[in-house]
Amino acid sequence: MIENNKKHGAILQNALQEEPLSRQEIRCLLESCPGKETDLLFKTARQLREKYFGNKLFLYGFVYNSTHCRNNCNFCYYRKDNTKSLRYSKSKSQILNISCKLAESGVHLIDLTMGEYISLDKNNLEPVQQLGEIISKIKNQTRLPVMVSPGVLPDWALKRMADSGADWYACYQETHNPDLFSRLRIGQSYSKRLATKQNAAQFNLLIEEGILCGVGETLDDVIDSFDAIKKLNIDQTRVMGFVPQSGTPMENHPTADIKRELIILAVLRLLFPDRLIPASLDVEGVMGLEKRLEAGANVVTSIVPAGKGLAGVAQNSLDIEDSRRTVAQVKKILLACGGYEIARSDTYNTWIKQRKALKALNNKNSALDLLKTSQDLKSI
Ligand code: SAM
Ligand code: MD0
Ligand code: SF4
């Protein structure tokens, strides 16, 4: 036991120095025992967050603008075949009105999320154009960065999102085990979903990747997700614990162990210390905020205004209509926690600008490397 503690502590020391960790070392961290080991893991995650972000947090306003979806993900309340789920589509003016209210309340970004209702058909330009228009209007009126989660899209549609002013493309693989993926995201292509993220990055969109935990994944699967996140050079990455949804094939599957979600979150912070990592209000509501921040998150997501008929995803109603998923409520919680501050919006905007510039430079350098290799090959 003492030997194990020593090993665990030494790995965290290396992580703090940002030295690369082996699969075995990452596994040891994922197996952290409750108490001393998790305390030290979370503390190290907070130290690394502090190094890159100080005590500043970013807040995301969440607009679930349409709950219609063509897919049948087994874990999701909004899967096509779930007759129990509430369906709606907000109009352009409703979306704009909600986004402006969120902006006034002090969020740093508008996260426009929807069921995958946009057909992949080439001739179906209309919904893509509509979404593009909404994005540019939100940007113009709120002056805030915009994230979109329209699901898998062809290149021309991703480009349209970028041209309309979207800053982020969020698309979660849930798992990087293709077999588990096929049991979760029924009938969807694993490789197409992964490739869409790479394609979106070519249009200078920042990318968010997500892991769903408590759905039968092994520790090796989680480590494979970390590898994939590294390979994709992801800008924001999250983990969400599974919440069972009535009317779905997984309604009787147990709720995820939140201790596991927190450990994965903290390890994400150790492996990707300078990236954005959300504490979602969409799993345990506001009650779950402090523990996620203590595990190393630096973004509060799923802030939803009351009285607009809006739903959450994993928690479709929790804390929404009683105005608890709001900036005001988050501020109260942060005050009670002590030590955190909400960032100024120019801090967030600068982060985005710098991250985009860094990625553009990386892309250019890899293109130059490719060119150089092909020239070298010619001279052989
Ligand atoms: N329809 C788009 C898509 O699937 O990419 C956008 C919605 S996406 C933001 C919904 C995400 O919420 C899923 O990718 C999953 O990670 C998470 N989620 C959905 N149902 C959940 C559940 N029951 N428990 C926890 N997380 C869930
Ligand atoms: C959240 N309910 O932030 C939202 C959602 C979509 N980009 C994010 C899962 O928790
Ligand atoms: Fe549709 Fe997204 Fe839910 Fe899957 S997770 S059923 S794609 S809304």
Side-chain angles (χ1 to χ4, degrees), residues 302-316:
S302 220
I303 289 176
V304 183
K308 305 283 179 195
L310 288 170
V313 178
Q315 290 289 356
N316 58 76

Side-chain angles (χ1 to χ4, degrees), residues 5 8 32-42 259 263:
N5 274 342
H8 187 269
S32 297
C33 299
K36 261 194 192 148
E37 287 194 352
T38 48
D39 287 352
L40 201 60
L41 169 69
F42 297 155
K259 291 192 286 298
I263 289 175

Side-chain angles (χ1 to χ4, degrees), residues 199-268:
N199 298 343
Q202 300 307 311
F203 299 119
N204 215 17
L205 286 160
L206 295 175
I207 311 297
E208 183 182 19
E209 175 62 298
I211 303 170
L212 186 59
C213 76
V215 288
E217 75 287 354
T218 63
L219 289 188
D220 268 316
D221 292 339
V222 176
I223 301 171
D224 287 344
S225 286
F226 297 154
D227 284 344
I229 289 166
K230 189 168 180 197
K231 261 200 209 119
L232 287 168
N233 195 11
I234 289 297
D235 310 290
Q236 175 168 302
T237 179
R238 69 166 59 208
V239 53
M240 282 173 70
F242 169 70
V243 182
Q245 306 293 326
S246 77
T248 68
M250 287 174 76
E251 69 181 342
N252 295 318
H253 187 98
T255 305
D257 176 0
I258 296 303
K259 291 192 286 298
R260 181 150 163 140
E261 185 196 303
L262 297 176
I263 289 175
I264 297 174
L265 197 165
V267 177
L268 279 172

Side-chain angles (χ1 to χ4, degrees), residues 75-76 113-116 149 151 172 174 185 193 212 240-243 245 313-314:
F75 52 84
C76 181
T113 297
M114 59 218 83
E116 295 198 16
S149 316
Y172 313 147
E174 327 297 354
R185 286 192 162 266
R193 196 167 175 89
L212 186 59
M240 282 173 70
F242 169 70
V243 182
Q245 306 293 326
V313 178

Side-chain angles (χ1 to χ4, degrees), residues 28 52 151 161 164 167 270-271 279 286 296 366:
C28 173
Y52 287 97
M161 302 296 104
S164 306
D167 298 277
L270 303 188
L271 300 178
V286 282
S366 19

Side-chain angles (χ1 to χ4, degrees), residues 59-65 90-113 131 133-148 303-305 308 310 327:
L59 312 180
Y60 287 6
F62 181 58
V63 186
Y64 201 8
N65 65 290
K90 297 292 175 200
S91 69
K92 209 177 282 181
S93 64
Q94 284 171 321
I95 297 170
L96 273 176
N97 168 284
I98 295 164
S99 304
C100 289
K101 286 266 146 52
L102 277 166
E104 277 164 30
S105 77
V107 301
H108 297 99
L109 167 141
I110 303 295
D111 175 5
L112 197 59
T113 297
L131 188 57
E133 262 176 46
I134 293 173
I135 293 167
S136 55
K137 287 218 161 103
I138 296 179
K139 286 229 39 160
N140 276 339
Q141 292 193 17
T142 64
R143 301 269 147 211
L144 291 180
V146 172
M147 172 183 269
V148 274
I303 289 176
V304 183
K308 305 283 179 195
L310 288 170
V327 174

